[in-house]
Amino acid sequence: TEGIGLFEARKPICVLLDLRMPVLDGIEFLKRLKTSPESEYAVIVLTAHGNIRDMQACYELGVSAFLRKPFDLFELISVTRNTICMKRWQIKVKKHERDLLEKENKLSLIHISEPTRPLYISYAVFCLKKK
């Protein structure tokens, strides 16, 4: 439960999670986080005890990667770096999608008579590009 509090206070982009923890195991931790691919953070599971069912449960609960111990330090660094990079791109893409939808909604509110329509649409596009 301390880990959940730290997570909520710091809001990291990436969590390294062991499945076997003394108070709260990793699967229960994931359930409480309500992790999904749409979350603004990624979870990488590290474990020496994971079997195929644990791995499947973790992926169903939204983890980004699953590494078995012992792992090579280079492997951990590479997977962590790639996972963070992918999560940042996902966040940027979601932001751009929201921005585009907002601009599309603004444009759809512009109702112009047909003869002057091209002029106003060009102006509206110009205004959107300036921002």
Side-chain angles (χ1 to χ4, degrees):
T1 55
E2 181 183 343
I4 298 284
L6 281 171
F7 172 82
E8 290 171 352
R10 296 186 183 195
K11 304 217 183 300
I13 192 164
C14 186
V15 175
L16 299 178
L17 177 68
D18 196 339
L19 284 186
R20 302 286 190 256
M21 296 184 292
V23 176
L24 185 68
D25 78 343
I27 301 287
E28 188 59 34
F29 186 88
L30 288 169
K31 287 177 183 175
R32 290 188 187 183
L33 280 186
K34 296 183 173 104
T35 303
S36 74
E38 291 79 33
S39 300
E40 292 204 355
Y41 58 89
V43 178
I44 299 171
V45 172
L46 313 170
T47 188
H49 307 286
N51 56 37
I52 198 74
R53 277 176 276 145
D54 289 334
M55 184 185 287
Q56 182 179 358
C58 287
Y59 281 116
E60 286 172 0
L61 289 167
V63 303
S64 300
F66 191 100
L67 292 176
R68 292 183 189 205
K69 295 177 187 174
F71 48 80
D72 181 72
L73 183 58
F74 177 76
E75 179 183 24
L76 176 61
I77 291 169
S78 297
V79 168
T80 302
R81 183 178 292 143
N82 290 339
T83 299
I84 290 170
C85 184
M86 287 298 297
K87 187 51 69 173
R88 285 184 176 148
W89 276 105
Q90 286 175 341
I91 291 168
K92 282 182 183 180
V93 166
K94 275 198 274 183
K95 182 187 179 318
H96 287 300
E97 284 175 347
R98 285 191 305 268
D99 291 347
L100 285 172
L101 280 174
E102 184 180 311
K103 289 174 183 177
E104 184 178 291
N105 288 338
K106 285 180 183 177
L107 282 175
S108 68
L109 293 176
I110 300 173
H111 184 72
I112 304 164
S113 63
E114 224 28 67
T116 58
R117 187 178 184 89
L119 176 64
Y120 282 108
I121 290 177
S122 296
Y123 177 73
V125 169
F126 172 76
C127 290
L128 291 174
K129 285 182 179 178
K130 276 180 81 174
K131 292 182 180 182

